[in-house]
Amino acid sequence: MTQEQRPTRTGLDWPRAQTFLAQERARFHEAHPRSAALAARARDHLLFGVPLHWMNDWGTPFALHVDHASGAQVIDVDGHTLVDFCLGDTGAMFGHSPTPVAEAVARQATRGFTTMLATEDAAVVGEQLAQRFGLPVWQFAMSATDANRYIVRWLRAATGRKKILVFNGCYHGTIEDVFVDLVDGRPVQRESLLGQVHNLLDATVVVEFNDLAALDATLAGGDVACVLAEPVMTNIGMVLPEPGFWAEAQKIIRRHGTLLVMDETHTISTGPGGYAHAHGIAADALVLGKPVGGGVPCAVYGMSAELAARAEKAKREAPPGHSGIGTTLTGNMLAMAAMRAALTEVMTPAAYEHMLALAQRLAAGLREVIARHGLPWCVTQVGARTEFQFCPAPPKTGSEADRILDGELEHLIHLGLLNRGVMITPFHNMMLVCPQTSDEHVAQLIGALDEVLTQITQKA
């Protein structure tokens, strides 16, 4: 199969696309001399030349460097203003530096950052989380990765079962346990996982999303502590639950004595209480990272009263010493102040009302421009989160979603958008709107995508 014959490139003129890519790379070079200089400087002392190697995944010739960000915009060090539909890959889902969070952090900055002691903010945050998500007992972490790691430890301790179940192609941060995939129907440890020394297959089982029969069969052994899942898969491209999937899956999970953990870090885009609350999924535990502090590093995880009692019992009966759960910065004063402001003043019904309506207009605009260029692509929306995928209908499993990923095509499109003043997430084609995103911003994105597709599609 030639590059042009890949299914994801149906309707494209790939030689023209390569010419376009060369032109866009040259254009980026010319327009970003300060970013180029900083990238060269950083290569001397930063691994891969960036603070985190993912920062090289944008498809740019060198790392784009930001000067500041506010609301729905990022201003780079060369003075270009970019309309931001990436929003820190959900971390800034409610805009960069939302005013209530910025003011709360500024106040707390003169009152202490971390003491390993509780504050009034913690009590307020716990009340807000319980009211919003319907789970009464909460704990904190520095990232969703840590929150997932900690809840898995609590669940294993509470149930006496060591295994967890995940869905193929999932992503729950960098907790090692979830890096297991299905390849030709066979579970394998993900080859990209660096430095892993113990066999993940001993304690992690994996099935396809939307496969109820496989879920039932895999849980039948009675040795799985929990199913750890996003209610909608988001990090391999969007994979929506089939109608009735979660209703039946919950029955299966309960029947086998397994617990259900919903990772709402991305699907909090659905509404103030997340996707599970909106769609009647009664989880035993919930994890939320990234946006809960308005962009300040923090995360939360909640439990049912029954699970919390079992977790407390496990801790009391364990030998004294470190539980392997938590760090000295967990629940620090700065993060608690940020979360209080975000939950009470930023993540509001009014903010969601604006975001959801605008995301609908974005999805409609994407569908229109894709259809105008005759491309067999689909558009999927989960609340404020929208994505286009290189297939006619949304995939139903992680394996299907993986087959239509095309990193080269994604980066070509993303670079073209960047050069036209628009930024979307560098991983697949995800876009978020925030309270500060406007109709004009959406129109700019649609217009930029139209320009890019005009340059790379086949002409009659």
Side-chain angles (χ1 to χ4, degrees), residues 139-318:
Q139 284 281 269
F140 305 98
M142 291 301 294
S143 68
T145 290
D146 279 343
N148 278 309
R149 180 175 289 117
Y150 300 158
I151 195 64
V152 165
R153 296 189 78 92
W154 281 121
L155 289 169
R156 284 171 168 158
T159 63
R161 299 178 176 185
K162 75 173 186 176
K163 291 185 179 180
I164 67 169
L165 183 146
V166 297
F167 290 109
N168 185 39
C170 72
Y171 182 77
H172 299 285
T174 53
I175 171 176
E176 295 86 348
D177 307 66
V178 305
F179 282 74
V180 176
D181 295 324
L182 286 175
V183 177
D184 298 325
R186 183 174 59 88
V188 297
Q189 188 167 298
R190 194 171 300 174
E191 292 182 352
S192 63
L193 183 59
L194 294 175
Q196 183 62 30
V197 295
H198 67 268
N199 186 0
L200 298 178
L201 301 181
D202 291 339
T204 302
V205 293
V206 56
V207 300
E208 292 285 9
F209 197 63
N210 283 317
D211 190 339
L212 290 168
L215 177 67
D216 194 8
T218 305
L219 295 181
D223 56 354
V224 176
C226 71
V227 173
L228 173 59
E230 291 183 289
V232 176
M233 294 185 70
T234 64
N235 219 64
I236 195 166
M238 296 258 244
V239 182
L240 299 172
E242 292 280 273
F245 170 74
W246 276 118
E248 188 59 32
Q250 289 178 87
K251 295 177 185 177
I252 292 170
I253 292 166
R254 306 259 183 279
R255 185 166 68 247
H256 294 300
T258 303
L259 300 176
L260 175 61
V261 182
M262 287 276 97
D263 184 345
E264 292 262 22
T265 298
H266 284 165
T267 53
I268 191 65
S269 63
T270 306
Y275 189 98
H277 181 269
H279 292 84
I281 303 172
D284 300 287
L286 182 145
V287 168
L288 176 61
K290 295 182 179 179
V292 71
V296 174
C298 55
V300 300
Y301 59 100
M303 310 177 195
S304 67
E306 179 186 3
L307 175 56
R310 294 170 71 182
E312 288 187 2
K313 181 175 183 292
K315 173 60 178 150
R316 285 194 300 269
E317 293 179 353

Side-chain angles (χ1 to χ4, degrees), residues 16-28 412 415:
R16 287 186 70 234
Q18 293 304 292
T19 299
F20 172 76
L21 176 60
Q23 293 169 345
E24 292 300 302
R25 291 176 66 87
R27 178 176 175 178
F28 186 90
L412 182 153
L415 179 57

Side-chain angles (χ1 to χ4, degrees), residues 4-75:
E4 295 92 327
Q5 292 174 327
R6 292 184 61 171
T8 54
R9 298 175 186 178
T10 300
L12 302 182
D13 185 329
W14 198 244
R16 287 186 70 234
Q18 293 304 292
T19 299
F20 172 76
L21 176 60
Q23 293 169 345
E24 292 300 302
R25 291 176 66 87
R27 178 176 175 178
F28 186 90
H29 265 285
E30 184 177 356
H32 296 86
R34 182 151 171 74
S35 268
L38 287 173
R41 178 180 176 184
R43 279 195 293 271
D44 289 339
H45 299 291
L46 300 183
L47 190 66
F48 297 103
V50 283
L52 172 66
H53 64 86
W54 300 355
M55 293 179 182
N56 284 326
D57 287 350
W58 290 88
T60 55
F62 45 83
L64 180 68
H65 283 65
V66 63
D67 181 77
H68 63 282
S70 178
Q73 295 181 321
V74 165
I75 295 81

